[in-house]
Amino acid sequence: MHWSAMAVAAAPYSAAPAPDATGPTSFEDATEKATNAAGWVQENWGNWVESGLQIVLIVVIAVVLRHVVRRTLTRLIDRMNRTANAAQGTALGGLLVNAERRRQRSEAIGSVLRSVASFVIMGTAALTVLSVLNINLAPLLASAGVAGVAIGFGARNLVTDFLSGVFMILEDQYGVGDEIDAGVATGTVIEVGLRVTKLRGPNGAIWYIRNGEVKRIGNLSQGWATAHVDVQLAADQDLERAREVITAAGEEMSKAEPWNEQLWEPVEVLGLSEVSLETVTLGLSAKTMPGKAGGVERELRWRVKQALDRAAIRLAPRPEPEEEDGEAADPSAAVAAPSALNNPDSPQSLAAAPIARPKLGK
């Protein structure tokens, strides 16, 4: 009895669980951990300060470099515009330089260059900062590449318009004030953008043309233009006399203001372009300033008409419209063809005659 009671009394003490290792620690353990943390901070403090200073230096250099590059490009573009404006005041510069065209072209090129410079500088700075922070750039660059491909496919029309606009401006295919034929529309260029070109049509309408949709461009304002006029004379007129009169009218026009600047070569009589029994057509041609062919043609027609009238040289008569035949119509045209039924004594008429109703007797 005595040993069994002692065993039962001792059982609870022997089965008690051991203290938890994660439980409250002693003062010595806490002191040791704090000492280790302080030592780790002290060891890495120099690296943190160094990395922070590197990041600040990289950002400062990037911002300053971006500002300097953009300011340099802006000054360069302003200088180009001032040079164009100065040349615009001279006689030769007025013919060869379009200040508004040069301004818009230089502004567009400057905008592209500034954007590219900002993207390259700030992008390089961002990648450098990430490398200082010991961040693996391979997954980031791979993700950026996939995202760029996806955006490129989704916005391919926008990218096409932008790239086409850049090359149009760099190659100087057309500019403000040029008369162009873009295929989808024809008119005068009033604004050149990286994505859209604005044209003023002949009827005053403004056309917005996406640069990526332009497959061909006919510039009617570069180099020189040709004014072509056809003069129709009566077939019995003296052609040699007409040639002399027209040539004299062209020479007089080339000496008058403002046609002396717009006519770059004398008016030339090309010869006969059409010959018929009643009329002959003389072709006139003159090389003019770009974009001025229409006005030269109208003035040349005016002066040639007055010169021919003074020389008593008749122009071709206007063809009269064909008149309708005034004779009376054939009266027999409305008469029906002869028929046997027209004769009441014919067998056909007798056979077709109704049977008379018999008379009823009383």
Side-chain angles (χ1 to χ4, degrees):
M1 294 289 294
H2 177 74
W3 291 104
S4 62
M6 292 181 64
V8 172
Y13 295 99
S14 61
D20 189 4
T22 61
T25 58
S26 62
F27 179 76
E28 291 78 5
D29 296 336
T31 303
E32 183 180 0
K33 291 181 179 179
T35 303
N36 294 334
W40 181 79
V41 171
Q42 185 176 4
E43 291 178 357
N44 295 277
W45 177 255
N47 295 331
W48 293 349
V49 173
E50 183 180 358
S51 300
L53 292 177
Q54 288 180 358
I55 292 174
V56 172
L57 183 62
I58 291 171
V59 172
V60 171
I61 292 176
V63 172
V64 172
L65 182 61
R66 175 178 176 272
H67 177 74
V68 171
V69 171
R70 291 175 64 91
R71 188 175 181 82
T72 302
L73 292 174
T74 302
R75 288 185 175 181
L76 180 61
I77 292 170
D78 292 340
R79 182 177 298 178
M80 292 172 59
N81 292 334
R82 287 196 300 269
T83 304
N85 292 332
Q88 186 73 16
T90 63
L92 182 60
L95 297 177
L96 302 179
V97 179
N98 187 326
E100 180 64 19
R101 171 176 179 172
R102 287 284 300 272
R103 187 191 66 80
Q104 288 207 7
R105 180 168 177 253
S106 60
E107 288 292 341
I109 295 175
S111 176
V112 173
L113 294 178
R114 284 192 293 265
S115 299
V116 171
S118 299
F119 177 79
V120 172
I121 294 173
M122 302 309 295
T124 304
L127 295 178
T128 306
V129 169
L130 294 178
S131 64
V132 170
L133 296 176
N134 295 325
I135 297 177
N136 189 8
L137 299 180
L140 181 61
L141 295 178
S143 301
V146 174
V149 172
I151 294 175
F153 277 109
R156 57 184 180 276
N157 291 333
L158 181 62
V159 175
T160 302
D161 297 339
F162 181 82
L163 294 179
S164 300
V166 170
F167 283 107
M168 287 178 180
I169 293 174
L170 292 178
E171 296 173 359
D172 195 18
Q173 298 179 6
Y174 55 82
V176 175
D178 286 353
E179 187 79 16
I180 67 171
D181 180 2
V184 294
T186 301
T188 304
V189 180
I190 60 177
E191 184 177 344
V192 180
L194 294 177
R195 192 181 66 88
V196 175
T197 297
K198 293 171 63 176
L199 300 181
R200 174 77 69 177
N203 58 352
I206 296 180
W207 296 92
Y208 295 84
I209 303 176
R210 288 171 42 198
N211 295 328
E213 293 182 349
V214 178
K215 304 301 180 183
R216 62 173 180 84
I217 296 176
N219 196 325
L220 309 179
S221 301
Q222 285 187 350
W224 48 269
T226 301
H228 187 79
V229 175
D230 290 331
V231 180
Q232 287 188 346
L233 303 177
D236 57 352
Q237 298 301 301
D238 187 356
L239 297 183
E240 291 296 334
R241 174 62 177 162
R243 183 198 294 270
E244 296 176 358
V245 171
I246 294 174
T247 302
E251 293 178 355
E252 181 182 357
M253 178 179 173
S254 62
K255 298 177 182 178
E257 294 284 348
W259 313 111
N260 55 352
E261 294 183 356
Q262 298 183 12
L263 274 173
W264 286 4
E265 287 185 1
V267 178
E268 181 181 2
V269 181
L270 301 178
L272 295 178
S273 57
E274 293 184 5
V275 178
S276 64
L277 294 177
E278 299 180 354
T279 63
V280 292
T281 302
L282 292 176
L284 312 181
S285 177
K287 184 177 291 188
T288 68
M289 182 188 300
K292 302 298 182 180
V296 172
E297 290 176 355
R298 290 187 290 270
E299 181 67 17
L300 185 58
R301 292 189 186 98
W302 180 281
R303 292 176 177 267
V304 168
K305 175 63 169 61
Q306 291 182 335
L308 293 177
D309 291 343
R310 290 193 298 266
I313 299 177
R314 292 187 301 106
L315 297 177
R318 183 183 298 273
E320 299 180 357
E322 297 182 0
E323 298 181 358
E324 297 182 357
D325 192 359
E327 297 181 358
D330 187 3
S332 63
V335 178
S339 175
L341 298 178
N342 292 335
N343 186 5
D345 297 331
S346 64
Q348 291 82 356
S349 297
L350 296 177
I355 300 176
R357 178 181 293 181
K359 297 181 178 181
L360 299 177
K362 295 181 178 179

